[in-house]
PDB file of all heavy atoms in Angstrom:
ATOM      1  N   GLY A   1     104.271  99.129 102.368  1.00 93.00           N
ATOM      2  CA  GLY A   1     103.311  99.764 103.245  1.00 93.00           C
ATOM      3  C   GLY A   1     103.761 101.023 103.945  1.00 93.00           C
ATOM      4  O   GLY A   1     102.970 101.617 104.693  1.00 93.00           O
ATOM      5  N   ASP A   2     104.991 101.450 103.744  1.00 96.00           N
ATOM      6  CA  ASP A   2     105.451 102.699 104.346  1.00 96.00           C
ATOM      7  C   ASP A   2     104.750 103.889 103.705  1.00 96.00           C
ATOM      8  O   ASP A   2     104.595 103.944 102.488  1.00 96.00           O
ATOM      9  CB  ASP A   2     106.959 102.850 104.196  1.00 96.00           C
ATOM     10  CG  ASP A   2     107.731 101.833 105.008  1.00 96.00           C
ATOM     11  OD1 ASP A   2     107.196 101.352 106.026  1.00 96.00           O
ATOM     12  OD2 ASP A   2     108.874 101.514 104.629  1.00 96.00           O
ATOM     13  N   THR A   3     104.335 104.844 104.522  1.00 96.00           N
ATOM     14  CA  THR A   3     103.611 106.012 104.030  1.00 96.00           C
ATOM     15  C   THR A   3     104.329 107.294 104.397  1.00 96.00           C
ATOM     16  O   THR A   3     105.076 107.358 105.380  1.00 96.00           O
ATOM     17  CB  THR A   3     102.175 106.061 104.579  1.00 96.00           C
ATOM     18  OG1 THR A   3     102.218 106.070 106.014  1.00 96.00           O
ATOM     19  CG2 THR A   3     101.384 104.860 104.107  1.00 96.00           C
ATOM     20  N   ASN A   4     104.076 108.322 103.607  1.00 96.00           N
ATOM     21  CA  ASN A   4     104.630 109.641 103.827  1.00 96.00           C
ATOM     22  C   ASN A   4     103.566 110.666 103.468  1.00 96.00           C
ATOM     23  O   ASN A   4     102.967 110.585 102.394  1.00 96.00           O
ATOM     24  CB  ASN A   4     105.890 109.847 102.989  1.00 96.00           C
ATOM     25  CG  ASN A   4     106.576 111.163 103.279  1.00 96.00           C
ATOM     26  OD1 ASN A   4     106.567 111.633 104.418  1.00 96.00           O
ATOM     27  ND2 ASN A   4     107.183 111.767 102.261  1.00 96.00           N
ATOM     28  N   TYR A   5     103.316 111.628 104.379  1.00 96.00           N
ATOM     29  CA  TYR A   5     102.300 112.644 104.181  1.00 96.00           C
ATOM     30  C   TYR A   5     102.888 114.030 104.316  1.00 96.00           C
ATOM     31  O   TYR A   5     103.793 114.258 105.118  1.00 96.00           O
ATOM     32  CB  TYR A   5     101.172 112.509 105.210  1.00 96.00           C
ATOM     33  CG  TYR A   5     100.350 111.247 105.112  1.00 96.00           C
ATOM     34  CD1 TYR A   5     100.707 110.113 105.833  1.00 96.00           C
ATOM     35  CD2 TYR A   5      99.216 111.199 104.318  1.00 96.00           C
ATOM     36  CE1 TYR A   5      99.949 108.962 105.752  1.00 96.00           C
ATOM     37  CE2 TYR A   5      98.455 110.052 104.234  1.00 96.00           C
ATOM     38  CZ  TYR A   5      98.826 108.933 104.957  1.00 96.00           C
ATOM     39  OH  TYR A   5      98.065 107.793 104.877  1.00 96.00           O
ATOM     40  N   ALA A   6     102.343 114.948 103.542  1.00 94.00           N
ATOM     41  CA  ALA A   6     102.628 116.350 103.782  1.00 94.00           C
ATOM     42  C   ALA A   6     101.997 116.771 105.112  1.00 94.00           C
ATOM     43  O   ALA A   6     100.953 116.251 105.506  1.00 94.00           O
ATOM     44  CB  ALA A   6     102.087 117.212 102.646  1.00 94.00           C
ATOM     45  N   ASP A   7     102.628 117.727 105.796  1.00 90.00           N
ATOM     46  CA  ASP A   7     102.178 118.105 107.131  1.00 90.00           C
ATOM     47  C   ASP A   7     100.725 118.578 107.149  1.00 90.00           C
ATOM     48  O   ASP A   7      99.977 118.277 108.080  1.00 90.00           O
ATOM     49  CB  ASP A   7     103.091 119.190 107.702  1.00 90.00           C
ATOM     50  CG  ASP A   7     104.464 118.673 108.056  1.00 90.00           C
ATOM     51  OD1 ASP A   7     104.621 117.445 108.213  1.00 90.00           O
ATOM     52  OD2 ASP A   7     105.389 119.495 108.189  1.00 90.00           O
ATOM     53  N   SER A   8     100.302 119.320 106.143  1.00 83.00           N
ATOM     54  CA  SER A   8      98.957 119.875 106.133  1.00 83.00           C
ATOM     55  C   SER A   8      97.877 118.822 105.907  1.00 83.00           C
ATOM     56  O   SER A   8      96.708 119.067 106.209  1.00 83.00           O
ATOM     57  CB  SER A   8      98.843 120.969 105.067  1.00 83.00           C
ATOM     58  OG  SER A   8      99.089 120.448 103.775  1.00 83.00           O
ATOM     59  N   MET A   9      98.229 117.660 105.388  1.00 83.00           N
ATOM     60  CA  MET A   9      97.279 116.597 105.130  1.00 83.00           C
ATOM     61  C   MET A   9      97.269 115.516 106.206  1.00 83.00           C
ATOM     62  O   MET A   9      96.297 114.761 106.305  1.00 83.00           O
ATOM     63  CB  MET A   9      97.545 115.924 103.783  1.00 83.00           C
ATOM     64  CG  MET A   9      97.333 116.821 102.579  1.00 83.00           C
ATOM     65  SD  MET A   9      98.776 117.896 102.331  1.00 83.00           S
ATOM     66  CE  MET A   9      98.382 118.641 100.756  1.00 83.00           C
ATOM     67  N   LYS A  10      98.335 115.425 106.977  1.00 80.00           N
ATOM     68  CA  LYS A  10      98.465 114.367 107.961  1.00 80.00           C
ATOM     69  C   LYS A  10      97.341 114.450 108.985  1.00 80.00           C
ATOM     70  O   LYS A  10      97.109 115.487 109.591  1.00 80.00           O
ATOM     71  CB  LYS A  10      99.826 114.451 108.651  1.00 80.00           C
ATOM     72  CG  LYS A  10     100.200 113.215 109.436  1.00 80.00           C
ATOM     73  CD  LYS A  10     101.640 113.290 109.917  1.00 80.00           C
ATOM     74  CE  LYS A  10     102.068 112.014 110.602  1.00 80.00           C
ATOM     75  NZ  LYS A  10     103.479 112.069 111.037  1.00 80.00           N
ATOM     76  N   GLY A  11      96.623 113.339 109.166  1.00 91.00           N
ATOM     77  CA  GLY A  11      95.488 113.294 110.064  1.00 91.00           C
ATOM     78  C   GLY A  11      94.160 113.479 109.366  1.00 91.00           C
ATOM     79  O   GLY A  11      93.128 113.050 109.895  1.00 91.00           O
ATOM     80  N   ARG A  12      94.140 114.121 108.218  1.00 95.00           N
ATOM     81  CA  ARG A  12      92.922 114.312 107.431  1.00 95.00           C
ATOM     82  C   ARG A  12      92.860 113.382 106.227  1.00 95.00           C
ATOM     83  O   ARG A  12      91.777 112.928 105.857  1.00 95.00           O
ATOM     84  CB  ARG A  12      92.810 115.753 106.942  1.00 95.00           C
ATOM     85  CG  ARG A  12      92.699 116.796 108.042  1.00 95.00           C
ATOM     86  CD  ARG A  12      92.337 118.163 107.460  1.00 95.00           C
ATOM     87  NE  ARG A  12      93.349 118.659 106.527  1.00 95.00           N
ATOM     88  CZ  ARG A  12      93.108 119.003 105.265  1.00 95.00           C
ATOM     89  NH1 ARG A  12      91.874 118.912 104.779  1.00 95.00           N
ATOM     90  NH2 ARG A  12      94.085 119.452 104.498  1.00 95.00           N
ATOM     91  N   PHE A  13      93.999 113.128 105.612  1.00 97.00           N
ATOM     92  CA  PHE A  13      94.058 112.301 104.409  1.00 97.00           C
ATOM     93  C   PHE A  13      94.682 110.949 104.737  1.00 97.00           C
ATOM     94  O   PHE A  13      95.568 110.849 105.591  1.00 97.00           O
ATOM     95  CB  PHE A  13      94.900 112.974 103.322  1.00 97.00           C
ATOM     96  CG  PHE A  13      94.298 114.230 102.749  1.00 97.00           C
ATOM     97  CD1 PHE A  13      93.127 114.775 103.248  1.00 97.00           C
ATOM     98  CD2 PHE A  13      94.927 114.869 101.687  1.00 97.00           C
ATOM     99  CE1 PHE A  13      92.585 115.931 102.716  1.00 97.00           C
ATOM    100  CE2 PHE A  13      94.390 116.024 101.144  1.00 97.00           C
ATOM    101  CZ  PHE A  13      93.227 116.560 101.653  1.00 97.00           C
ATOM    102  N   THR A  14      94.231 109.905 104.029  1.00 97.00           N
ATOM    103  CA  THR A  14      94.762 108.565 104.200  1.00 97.00           C
ATOM    104  C   THR A  14      95.016 107.936 102.842  1.00 97.00           C
ATOM    105  O   THR A  14      94.114 107.897 102.001  1.00 97.00           O
ATOM    106  CB  THR A  14      93.811 107.671 105.005  1.00 97.00           C
ATOM    107  OG1 THR A  14      93.549 108.263 106.284  1.00 97.00           O
ATOM    108  CG2 THR A  14      94.433 106.290 105.221  1.00 97.00           C
ATOM    109  N   ILE A  15      96.229 107.439 102.622  1.00 97.00           N
ATOM    110  CA  ILE A  15      96.570 106.767 101.381  1.00 97.00           C
ATOM    111  C   ILE A  15      96.600 105.263 101.620  1.00 97.00           C
ATOM    112  O   ILE A  15      97.027 104.794 102.674  1.00 97.00           O
ATOM    113  CB  ILE A  15      97.921 107.273 100.827  1.00 97.00           C
ATOM    114  CG1 ILE A  15      98.158 106.751  99.410  1.00 97.00           C
ATOM    115  CG2 ILE A  15      99.074 106.914 101.755  1.00 97.00           C
ATOM    116  CD1 ILE A  15      99.343 107.403  98.713  1.00 97.00           C
ATOM    117  N   SER A  16      96.136 104.490 100.635  1.00 96.00           N
ATOM    118  CA  SER A  16      96.095 103.041 100.753  1.00 96.00           C
ATOM    119  C   SER A  16      96.114 102.417  99.369  1.00 96.00           C
ATOM    120  O   SER A  16      95.937 103.108  98.359  1.00 96.00           O
ATOM    121  CB  SER A  16      94.852 102.579 101.523  1.00 96.00           C
ATOM    122  OG  SER A  16      93.670 102.958 100.847  1.00 96.00           O
ATOM    123  N   THR A  17      96.322 101.092  99.316  1.00 94.00           N
ATOM    124  CA  THR A  17      96.334 100.349  98.058  1.00 94.00           C
ATOM    125  C   THR A  17      95.393  99.161  98.139  1.00 94.00           C
ATOM    126  O   THR A  17      94.981  98.752  99.226  1.00 94.00           O
ATOM    127  CB  THR A  17      97.744  99.854  97.708  1.00 94.00           C
ATOM    128  OG1 THR A  17      98.218  98.983  98.742  1.00 94.00           O
ATOM    129  CG2 THR A  17      98.711 101.020  97.566  1.00 94.00           C
ATOM    130  N   ASP A  18      95.051  98.597  96.974  1.00 92.00           N
ATOM    131  CA  ASP A  18      94.250  97.384  96.940  1.00 92.00           C
ATOM    132  C   ASP A  18      95.158  96.173  97.138  1.00 92.00           C
ATOM    133  O   ASP A  18      96.369  96.297  97.305  1.00 92.00           O
ATOM    134  CB  ASP A  18      93.462  97.291  95.632  1.00 92.00           C
ATOM    135  CG  ASP A  18      94.351  97.139  94.405  1.00 92.00           C
ATOM    136  OD1 ASP A  18      95.587  97.286  94.526  1.00 92.00           O
ATOM    137  OD2 ASP A  18      93.808  96.868  93.316  1.00 92.00           O
ATOM    138  N   ASN A  19      94.559  94.964  97.112  1.00 87.00           N
ATOM    139  CA  ASN A  19      95.334  93.752  97.373  1.00 87.00           C
ATOM    140  C   ASN A  19      96.395  93.503  96.306  1.00 87.00           C
ATOM    141  O   ASN A  19      97.487  93.001  96.613  1.00 87.00           O
ATOM    142  CB  ASN A  19      94.402  92.546  97.478  1.00 87.00           C
ATOM    143  CG  ASN A  19      93.521  92.589  98.706  1.00 87.00           C
ATOM    144  OD1 ASN A  19      93.881  93.202  99.718  1.00 87.00           O
ATOM    145  ND2 ASN A  19      92.374  91.948  98.644  1.00 87.00           N
ATOM    146  N   ALA A  20      96.089  93.818  95.061  1.00 85.00           N
ATOM    147  CA  ALA A  20      97.051  93.636  93.980  1.00 85.00           C
ATOM    148  C   ALA A  20      98.125  94.707  93.965  1.00 85.00           C
ATOM    149  O   ALA A  20      99.119  94.565  93.245  1.00 85.00           O
ATOM    150  CB  ALA A  20      96.325  93.611  92.637  1.00 85.00           C
ATOM    151  N   LYS A  21      97.924  95.770  94.714  1.00 84.00           N
ATOM    152  CA  LYS A  21      98.866  96.891  94.813  1.00 84.00           C
ATOM    153  C   LYS A  21      99.120  97.533  93.459  1.00 84.00           C
ATOM    154  O   LYS A  21     100.231  97.959  93.150  1.00 84.00           O
ATOM    155  CB  LYS A  21     100.169  96.449  95.475  1.00 84.00           C
ATOM    156  CG  LYS A  21      99.978  95.980  96.906  1.00 84.00           C
ATOM    157  CD  LYS A  21     101.284  95.618  97.579  1.00 84.00           C
ATOM    158  CE  LYS A  21     101.049  95.190  99.013  1.00 84.00           C
ATOM    159  NZ  LYS A  21     102.307  94.820  99.695  1.00 84.00           N
ATOM    160  N   THR A  22      98.071  97.599  92.658  1.00 86.00           N
ATOM    161  CA  THR A  22      98.109  98.318  91.392  1.00 86.00           C
ATOM    162  C   THR A  22      97.155  99.500  91.380  1.00 86.00           C
ATOM    163  O   THR A  22      97.138 100.255  90.407  1.00 86.00           O
ATOM    164  CB  THR A  22      97.777  97.391  90.218  1.00 86.00           C
ATOM    165  OG1 THR A  22      96.507  96.765  90.437  1.00 86.00           O
ATOM    166  CG2 THR A  22      98.853  96.320  90.065  1.00 86.00           C
ATOM    167  N   THR A  23      96.365  99.651  92.439  1.00 94.00           N
ATOM    168  CA  THR A  23      95.461 100.779  92.593  1.00 94.00           C
ATOM    169  C   THR A  23      95.743 101.469  93.917  1.00 94.00           C
ATOM    170  O   THR A  23      95.873 100.800  94.948  1.00 94.00           O
ATOM    171  CB  THR A  23      93.992 100.338  92.537  1.00 94.00           C
ATOM    172  OG1 THR A  23      93.711  99.730  91.273  1.00 94.00           O
ATOM    173  CG2 THR A  23      93.063 101.523  92.730  1.00 94.00           C
ATOM    174  N   VAL A  24      95.838 102.783  93.889  1.00 96.00           N
ATOM    175  CA  VAL A  24      96.070 103.560  95.086  1.00 96.00           C
ATOM    176  C   VAL A  24      94.878 104.475  95.322  1.00 96.00           C
ATOM    177  O   VAL A  24      94.310 105.022  94.368  1.00 96.00           O
ATOM    178  CB  VAL A  24      97.388 104.367  94.993  1.00 96.00           C
ATOM    179  CG1 VAL A  24      97.341 105.372  93.846  1.00 96.00           C
ATOM    180  CG2 VAL A  24      97.689 105.067  96.305  1.00 96.00           C
ATOM    181  N   TYR A  25      94.493 104.625  96.598  1.00 97.00           N
ATOM    182  CA  TYR A  25      93.374 105.465  96.983  1.00 97.00           C
ATOM    183  C   TYR A  25      93.863 106.607  97.867  1.00 97.00           C
ATOM    184  O   TYR A  25      94.851 106.482  98.585  1.00 97.00           O
ATOM    185  CB  TYR A  25      92.314 104.659  97.738  1.00 97.00           C
ATOM    186  CG  TYR A  25      91.795 103.460  96.982  1.00 97.00           C
ATOM    187  CD1 TYR A  25      92.332 102.197  97.210  1.00 97.00           C
ATOM    188  CD2 TYR A  25      90.775 103.587  96.059  1.00 97.00           C
ATOM    189  CE1 TYR A  25      91.867 101.097  96.526  1.00 97.00           C
ATOM    190  CE2 TYR A  25      90.300 102.493  95.363  1.00 97.00           C
ATOM    191  CZ  TYR A  25      90.848 101.249  95.602  1.00 97.00           C
ATOM    192  OH  TYR A  25      90.383 100.149  94.920  1.00 97.00           O
ATOM    193  N   LEU A  26      93.149 107.701  97.811  1.00 98.00           N
ATOM    194  CA  LEU A  26      93.380 108.818  98.710  1.00 98.00           C
ATOM    195  C   LEU A  26      92.042 109.216  99.316  1.00 98.00           C
ATOM    196  O   LEU A  26      91.197 109.796  98.630  1.00 98.00           O
ATOM    197  CB  LEU A  26      94.016 110.006  97.984  1.00 98.00           C
ATOM    198  CG  LEU A  26      94.365 111.197  98.875  1.00 98.00           C
ATOM    199  CD1 LEU A  26      95.494 110.831  99.835  1.00 98.00           C
ATOM    200  CD2 LEU A  26      94.749 112.414  98.043  1.00 98.00           C
ATOM    201  N   GLN A  27      91.848 108.877 100.588  1.00 98.00           N
ATOM    202  CA  GLN A  27      90.654 109.271 101.321  1.00 98.00           C
ATOM    203  C   GLN A  27      90.900 110.645 101.930  1.00 98.00           C
ATOM    204  O   GLN A  27      91.813 110.807 102.737  1.00 98.00           O
ATOM    205  CB  GLN A  27      90.319 108.255 102.407  1.00 98.00           C
ATOM    206  CG  GLN A  27      89.097 108.610 103.245  1.00 98.00           C
ATOM    207  CD  GLN A  27      87.816 108.585 102.448  1.00 98.00           C
ATOM    208  OE1 GLN A  27      87.590 107.667 101.660  1.00 98.00           O
ATOM    209  NE2 GLN A  27      86.980 109.596 102.631  1.00 98.00           N
ATOM    210  N   MET A  28      90.086 111.616 101.555  1.00 98.00           N
ATOM    211  CA  MET A  28      90.255 112.986 101.996  1.00 98.00           C
ATOM    212  C   MET A  28      89.061 113.388 102.859  1.00 98.00           C
ATOM    213  O   MET A  28      87.927 113.417 102.374  1.00 98.00           O
ATOM    214  CB  MET A  28      90.402 113.934 100.802  1.00 98.00           C
ATOM    215  CG  MET A  28      91.532 113.559  99.861  1.00 98.00           C
ATOM    216  SD  MET A  28      91.778 114.767  98.527  1.00 98.00           S
ATOM    217  CE  MET A  28      90.244 114.534  97.622  1.00 98.00           C
ATOM    218  N   ASN A  29      89.323 113.698 104.122  1.00 97.00           N
ATOM    219  CA  ASN A  29      88.296 114.114 105.066  1.00 97.00           C
ATOM    220  C   ASN A  29      88.535 115.555 105.500  1.00 97.00           C
ATOM    221  O   ASN A  29      89.635 116.087 105.377  1.00 97.00           O
ATOM    222  CB  ASN A  29      88.284 113.197 106.291  1.00 97.00           C
ATOM    223  CG  ASN A  29      87.974 111.758 105.953  1.00 97.00           C
ATOM    224  OD1 ASN A  29      87.193 111.474 105.041  1.00 97.00           O
ATOM    225  ND2 ASN A  29      88.572 110.832 106.698  1.00 97.00           N
ATOM    226  N   SER A  30      87.484 116.176 106.029  1.00 96.00           N
ATOM    227  CA  SER A  30      87.562 117.553 106.525  1.00 96.00           C
ATOM    228  C   SER A  30      88.175 118.486 105.494  1.00 96.00           C
ATOM    229  O   SER A  30      89.081 119.272 105.787  1.00 96.00           O
ATOM    230  CB  SER A  30      88.354 117.591 107.838  1.00 96.00           C
ATOM    231  OG  SER A  30      87.764 116.769 108.821  1.00 96.00           O
ATOM    232  N   LEU A  31      87.678 118.404 104.286  1.00 97.00           N
ATOM    233  CA  LEU A  31      88.233 119.201 103.196  1.00 97.00           C
ATOM    234  C   LEU A  31      87.998 120.693 103.414  1.00 97.00           C
ATOM    235  O   LEU A  31      86.975 121.101 103.965  1.00 97.00           O
ATOM    236  CB  LEU A  31      87.632 118.762 101.869  1.00 97.00           C
ATOM    237  CG  LEU A  31      88.162 117.426 101.335  1.00 97.00           C
ATOM    238  CD1 LEU A  31      87.262 116.882 100.240  1.00 97.00           C
ATOM    239  CD2 LEU A  31      89.588 117.602 100.818  1.00 97.00           C
ATOM    240  N   GLU A  32      88.954 121.480 102.980  1.00 95.00           N
ATOM    241  CA  GLU A  32      88.921 122.925 103.102  1.00 95.00           C
ATOM    242  C   GLU A  32      89.106 123.554 101.726  1.00 95.00           C
ATOM    243  O   GLU A  32      89.641 122.920 100.818  1.00 95.00           O
ATOM    244  CB  GLU A  32      90.027 123.409 104.053  1.00 95.00           C
ATOM    245  CG  GLU A  32      89.959 122.799 105.443  1.00 95.00           C
ATOM    246  CD  GLU A  32      91.170 123.131 106.286  1.00 95.00           C
ATOM    247  OE1 GLU A  32      92.101 123.783 105.758  1.00 95.00           O
ATOM    248  OE2 GLU A  32      91.191 122.747 107.475  1.00 95.00           O
ATOM    249  N   PRO A  33      88.667 124.813 101.560  1.00 96.00           N
ATOM    250  CA  PRO A  33      88.865 125.466 100.259  1.00 96.00           C
ATOM    251  C   PRO A  33      90.318 125.467  99.802  1.00 96.00           C
ATOM    252  O   PRO A  33      90.580 125.425  98.589  1.00 96.00           O
ATOM    253  CB  PRO A  33      88.354 126.889 100.512  1.00 96.00           C
ATOM    254  CG  PRO A  33      87.327 126.721 101.581  1.00 96.00           C
ATOM    255  CD  PRO A  33      87.853 125.632 102.467  1.00 96.00           C
ATOM    256  N   GLU A  34      91.251 125.509 100.751  1.00 94.00           N
ATOM    257  CA  GLU A  34      92.668 125.491 100.413  1.00 94.00           C
ATOM    258  C   GLU A  34      93.112 124.170  99.780  1.00 94.00           C
ATOM    259  O   GLU A  34      94.206 124.102  99.208  1.00 94.00           O
ATOM    260  CB  GLU A  34      93.518 125.786 101.654  1.00 94.00           C
ATOM    261  CG  GLU A  34      93.389 127.210 102.185  1.00 94.00           C
ATOM    262  CD  GLU A  34      92.087 127.460 102.923  1.00 94.00           C
ATOM    263  OE1 GLU A  34      91.417 126.487 103.321  1.00 94.00           O
ATOM    264  OE2 GLU A  34      91.732 128.647 103.104  1.00 94.00           O
ATOM    265  N   ASP A  35      92.294 123.130  99.885  1.00 96.00           N
ATOM    266  CA  ASP A  35      92.606 121.850  99.268  1.00 96.00           C
ATOM    267  C   ASP A  35      92.256 121.813  97.787  1.00 96.00           C
ATOM    268  O   ASP A  35      92.560 120.825  97.108  1.00 96.00           O
ATOM    269  CB  ASP A  35      91.875 120.710  99.985  1.00 96.00           C
ATOM    270  CG  ASP A  35      92.325 120.548 101.426  1.00 96.00           C
ATOM    271  OD1 ASP A  35      93.548 120.614 101.675  1.00 96.00           O
ATOM    272  OD2 ASP A  35      91.453 120.350 102.298  1.00 96.00           O
ATOM    273  N   THR A  36      91.612 122.836  97.285  1.00 97.00           N
ATOM    274  CA  THR A  36      91.238 122.892  95.874  1.00 97.00           C
ATOM    275  C   THR A  36      92.484 122.844  94.997  1.00 97.00           C
ATOM    276  O   THR A  36      93.393 123.663  95.142  1.00 97.00           O
ATOM    277  CB  THR A  36      90.439 124.161  95.575  1.00 97.00           C
ATOM    278  OG1 THR A  36      89.206 124.134  96.302  1.00 97.00           O
ATOM    279  CG2 THR A  36      90.129 124.271  94.087  1.00 97.00           C
ATOM    280  N   ALA A  37      92.524 121.866  94.092  1.00 97.00           N
ATOM    281  CA  ALA A  37      93.695 121.675  93.244  1.00 97.00           C
ATOM    282  C   ALA A  37      93.424 120.551  92.258  1.00 97.00           C
ATOM    283  O   ALA A  37      92.431 119.828  92.371  1.00 97.00           O
ATOM    284  CB  ALA A  37      94.933 121.344  94.088  1.00 97.00           C
ATOM    285  N   VAL A  38      94.317 120.407  91.305  1.00 98.00           N
ATOM    286  CA  VAL A  38      94.357 119.234  90.449  1.00 98.00           C
ATOM    287  C   VAL A  38      95.237 118.198  91.133  1.00 98.00           C
ATOM    288  O   VAL A  38      96.404 118.470  91.424  1.00 98.00           O
ATOM    289  CB  VAL A  38      94.893 119.556  89.047  1.00 98.00           C
ATOM    290  CG1 VAL A  38      95.038 118.274  88.226  1.00 98.00           C
ATOM    291  CG2 VAL A  38      93.974 120.540  88.339  1.00 98.00           C
ATOM    292  N   TYR A  39      94.683 117.023  91.390  1.00 98.00           N
ATOM    293  CA  TYR A  39      95.398 115.955  92.065  1.00 98.00           C
ATOM    294  C   TYR A  39      95.872 114.938  91.032  1.00 98.00           C
ATOM    295  O   TYR A  39      95.079 114.420  90.250  1.00 98.00           O
ATOM    296  CB  TYR A  39      94.508 115.278  93.110  1.00 98.00           C
ATOM    297  CG  TYR A  39      94.286 116.123  94.335  1.00 98.00           C
ATOM    298  CD1 TYR A  39      93.489 117.258  94.281  1.00 98.00           C
ATOM    299  CD2 TYR A  39      94.890 115.793  95.545  1.00 98.00           C
ATOM    300  CE1 TYR A  39      93.299 118.054  95.401  1.00 98.00           C
ATOM    301  CE2 TYR A  39      94.699 116.578  96.672  1.00 98.00           C
ATOM    302  CZ  TYR A  39      93.904 117.703  96.597  1.00 98.00           C
ATOM    303  OH  TYR A  39      93.718 118.485  97.719  1.00 98.00           O
ATOM    304  N   SER A  40      97.173 114.644  91.042  1.00 98.00           N
ATOM    305  CA  SER A  40      97.782 113.754  90.065  1.00 98.00           C
ATOM    306  C   SER A  40      98.391 112.547  90.752  1.00 98.00           C
ATOM    307  O   SER A  40      98.967 112.661  91.837  1.00 98.00           O
ATOM    308  CB  SER A  40      98.864 114.482  89.263  1.00 98.00           C
ATOM    309  OG  SER A  40      98.318 115.583  88.546  1.00 98.00           O
ATOM    310  N   CYS A  41      98.279 111.407  90.100  1.00 97.00           N
ATOM    311  CA  CYS A  41      98.815 110.158  90.604  1.00 97.00           C
ATOM    312  C   CYS A  41     100.191 109.902  90.000  1.00 97.00           C
ATOM    313  O   CYS A  41     100.405 110.130  88.806  1.00 97.00           O
ATOM    314  CB  CYS A  41      97.858 109.019  90.264  1.00 97.00           C
ATOM    315  SG  CYS A  41      98.383 107.393  90.859  1.00 97.00           S
ATOM    316  N   HIS A  42     101.099 109.401  90.821  1.00 96.00           N
ATOM    317  CA  HIS A  42     102.463 109.101  90.403  1.00 96.00           C
ATOM    318  C   HIS A  42     102.770 107.640  90.681  1.00 96.00           C
ATOM    319  O   HIS A  42     102.478 107.127  91.761  1.00 96.00           O
ATOM    320  CB  HIS A  42     103.444 110.010  91.148  1.00 96.00           C
ATOM    321  CG  HIS A  42     104.879 109.726  90.862  1.00 96.00           C
ATOM    322  ND1 HIS A  42     105.701 109.076  91.760  1.00 96.00           N
ATOM    323  CD2 HIS A  42     105.650 110.010  89.784  1.00 96.00           C
ATOM    324  CE1 HIS A  42     106.911 108.969  91.251  1.00 96.00           C
ATOM    325  NE2 HIS A  42     106.899 109.535  90.049  1.00 96.00           N
ATOM    326  N   ALA A  43     103.367 106.962  89.707  1.00 95.00           N
ATOM    327  CA  ALA A  43     103.744 105.559  89.840  1.00 95.00           C
ATOM    328  C   ALA A  43     105.231 105.397  89.603  1.00 95.00           C
ATOM    329  O   ALA A  43     105.791 105.991  88.685  1.00 95.00           O
ATOM    330  CB  ALA A  43     102.958 104.693  88.859  1.00 95.00           C
TER     331      ALA A  43
END
């Protein structure tokens, strides 16, 4: 359950997992044009 965020996302983005801990979510709020990118998942 330990989390780590980049400074520019902290407070706007939230990372979490499901009960099986095989799926990860990224809730992104207050999105800005600077957030435009290809987002990739790492396991």
Side-chain angles (χ1 to χ4, degrees):
D2 292 334
T3 58
N4 185 34
Y5 295 91
D7 289 341
S8 61
M9 295 80 172
K10 194 172 185 178
R12 297 190 299 123
F13 292 5
T14 303
I15 190 170
S16 62
T17 60
D18 65 350
N19 292 334
K21 297 183 179 180
T22 56
T23 299
V24 62
Y25 304 96
L26 183 67
Q27 179 66 44
M28 304 185 293
N29 299 326
S30 302
L31 285 164
E32 303 171 356
E34 292 75 17
D35 296 317
T36 296
V38 175
Y39 287 71
S40 299
C41 181
H42 176 255

